[in-house]
């Protein structure tokens, strides 16, 4: 039996543990979406692939914990798992950072710089500042400005109410602004306006 | 230049999953569905082992059951069935006493009725006067006790 958009997603998700076709449908639909979100957060393809596969594995393993009656869409539940995995990964990275710092390969960075697209280079620029913020602030900015999600959707993902999110976003942007010198920001803006 | 204006106008790059998309899918399917099958196999193996152990325990505690099953399957008693009975210390020998040939311990040196190429079971018992007696029984493949001396 082939699953498509016309079918009730709840029914498909109920069959996901026993039916491989149901799993295929869910995976094909949500993997690119979650992968993109993780990429915005970690900006490393290998790490993003690892995290996304862990997200799906955990989601499938704990599918019984997913509750429809809370009216959270399945995608929002996946985003929550992804957020937790990104935080776990960041903790591991902090430990490894000190070791890697000593062996940082400058040539590899130059090669990457030369082979990236313009908008990707702009993203790299903003990501460098973004990763200095706390995980919660990074999440709100990513969901709001890169994923272009409405506050209602972000509220479903984070489990916070919309007014709290607006305040949090405002504070997060203030923090980010304080990290970026105004001339750098103006230069970056001119680059994306071209 | 406010940062939110910059972020609103910013067009983020589209990151699509690479060829690993298919590989991860296969790995996940293997991990989810094969593991489930493996889980079922565990249950099957465990049940089989428990049944086997239960059967062995029954056969050890009640050898007669094993003998009955053997008779049921092969249709006849085996030559060793008599030995199983005699091996049990608590077996009631009264059913054999009338048909057993009783020999006094003094006669044990010469047993003229013992024939060549035949199998016998010998049971040594003592009476209330502490006198030894031997019960001799020929072991035949058929389950009869007609040839008991």
């Amino acid at each position: 039996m082939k699953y498509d958009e016309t079918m009730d997603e709840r029914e498909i998700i109920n069959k996901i543990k026993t039916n491989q076709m149901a799993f295929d449908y869910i995976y094909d639909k949500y993997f690119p979406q979650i992968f993109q979100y993780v990429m915005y957060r970690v900006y490393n393809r290998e790490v993003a692939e690892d995290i996304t596969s862990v997200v799906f594995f955990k989601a499938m393993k704990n599918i019984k914990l997913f509750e429809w009656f809370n009216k959270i869409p399945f995608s929002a539940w996946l985003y929550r798992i992804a957020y937790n995995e990104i935080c776990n990964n960041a903790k591991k990275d902090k430990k490894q950072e000190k070791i890697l710092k000593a062996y940082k390969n400058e040539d590899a960075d130059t090669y990457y710089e030369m082979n990236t697209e313009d908008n990707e280079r702009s993203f790299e620029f903003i990501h460098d500042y973004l990763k200095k913020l706390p995980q919660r602030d990074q999440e709100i900015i990513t969901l709001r400005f890169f994923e272009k999600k409405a506050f209602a959707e972000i509220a479903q993902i984070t489990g916070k109410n919309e007014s709290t999110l607006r305040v949090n976003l405002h504070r997060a942007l203030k923090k980010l602004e304080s990290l970026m010198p105004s001339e750098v920001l103006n230069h970056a803006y001119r680059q994306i306006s071209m | 230049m406010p940062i939110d204006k910059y972020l609103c106008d910013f067009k983020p790059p589209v990151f699509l999953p690479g060829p690993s998309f298919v590989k991860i899918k296969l790995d996940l399917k293997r991990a989810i569905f094969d593991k489930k099958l493996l889980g079922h196999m565990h249950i099957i193996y465990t049940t089989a082992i428990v049944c086997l152990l239960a059967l062995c325990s029954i056969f050890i505690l009640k050898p007669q059951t094993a003998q009955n099953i053997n008779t049921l399957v092969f249709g006849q008693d085996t030559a060793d069935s008599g030995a199983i009975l005699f091996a049990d210390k608590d077996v009631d020998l009264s059913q054999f006493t009338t048909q057993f040939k009783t020999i006094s311990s003094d006669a044990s040196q010469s047993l003229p009725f013992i024939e060549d190429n035949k199998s016998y079971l010998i049971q040594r018992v003592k009476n209330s006067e502490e006198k030894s007696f031997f019960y001799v029984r020929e072991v035949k493949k058929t389950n009869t006790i007609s040839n008991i001396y």
Side-chain angles (χ1 to χ4, degrees), chain A residues 143-169:
Chain A
L143 290 171
R144 182 72 182 137
F145 295 106
F146 303 152
E147 292 269 316
K148 310 281 182 202
K149 291 208 181 285
F151 276 106
E153 279 180 277
I154 301 172
Q156 284 176 333
I157 294 166
T158 56
K160 290 178 179 174
N161 65 48
E162 288 183 43
S163 51
T164 312
L165 281 174
R166 281 176 204 278
V167 174
N168 288 353
L169 181 64

Side-chain angles (χ1 to χ4, degrees), chain B residues 8 12 14 19 27 33 42 49 53 60 65 70 72 77-78 100 102 109 111-113 119 125 135 137 146 149:
Chain B
C8 281
V14 177
D27 288 347
F33 297 104
H42 271 299
I49 289 166
L53 281 172
I60 291 164
T65 313
N70 189 285
L72 201 76
D77 208 353
T78 58
F100 268 66
T102 316
Q109 294 298 318
L111 298 167
F113 53 85
S119 307
V125 286
Y135 292 110
R137 180 193 176 197
S146 57
Y149 297 95

Side-chain angles (χ1 to χ4, degrees), chain B residues 96-113:
Chain B
F96 299 114
T97 47
T98 51
Q99 293 156 40
F100 268 66
K101 178 133 187 160
T102 316
I103 319 148
S104 69
S105 57
D106 305 334
S108 61
Q109 294 298 318
S110 66
L111 298 167
F113 53 85

